[in-house]
Amino acid sequence: QVQLVESGGGLVQAGGSLRLSCAASGRTFSIYAMGWFRQAPGKEREFVAVINWSSGSTYYTNSVKGRFTISRDNAKNTVTLQMNSLKPEDTAVYYCAGDRDYSGRNYLEYDYWGQGTQVTVSS
């Protein structure tokens, strides 16, 4: 099993920045990809970004391209989401996710989840 713990959420004004971190523990050698998802009230959980744990290749949803950057530190078993130029529509609970053999957009395919961290962007 892999345990994931997020940190770094908070309240920020539109145009500001936040940095989310996710620390992985347990059987981290089994991780193939780590991703970030978000869920706004009344909406389905949506894909934000994913990174391949070994190659470092990344993939983003269109709405965050050029504003968000996902990165990983294999030595520290952490994945980070740097969020710049934040917009009110980015407001959501952000979840870190991991999987042993999947790196796509479908949140149902991910095996490991953090507890979530709230990001609120005021206008």
Side-chain angles (χ1 to χ4, degrees):
Q1 281 288 354
V2 174
Q3 294 77 42
L4 304 176
V5 178
E6 302 103 333
S7 61
L11 172 65
V12 65
Q13 288 188 332
S17 299
L18 280 175
R19 185 179 180 90
L20 305 183
S21 292
C22 176
S25 61
R27 298 172 63 88
T28 56
F29 60 85
S30 67
I31 296 174
Y32 173 73
M34 295 283 288
W36 287 94
F37 290 77
R38 64 188 180 186
Q39 189 165 17
K43 294 188 176 182
E44 190 174 14
R45 191 166 299 189
E46 67 168 348
F47 169 80
V48 176
V50 66
I51 187 165
N52 182 289
W53 200 244
S54 59
S55 71
S57 61
T58 59
Y59 178 62
Y60 299 88
T61 194
N62 286 339
S63 63
V64 308
K65 283 181 181 177
R67 301 189 298 124
F68 291 11
T69 302
I70 188 171
S71 60
R72 95 276 192 230
D73 185 329
N74 297 71
K76 295 182 179 180
N77 291 325
T78 58
V79 62
T80 299
L81 186 69
Q82 177 66 43
M83 305 185 294
N84 299 328
S85 302
L86 283 161
K87 305 175 181 179
E89 51 263 44
D90 294 317
T91 295
V93 177
Y94 282 70
Y95 296 91
C96 176
D99 199 77
R100 294 166 292 179
D101 57 11
Y102 180 76
S103 61
R105 306 174 60 97
N106 187 354
Y107 71 91
L108 296 173
E109 295 289 337
Y110 284 80
D111 291 330
Y112 312 122
W113 289 91
Q115 80 285 357
T117 185
Q118 177 70 47
V119 171
T120 303
V121 184
S122 62
S123 57

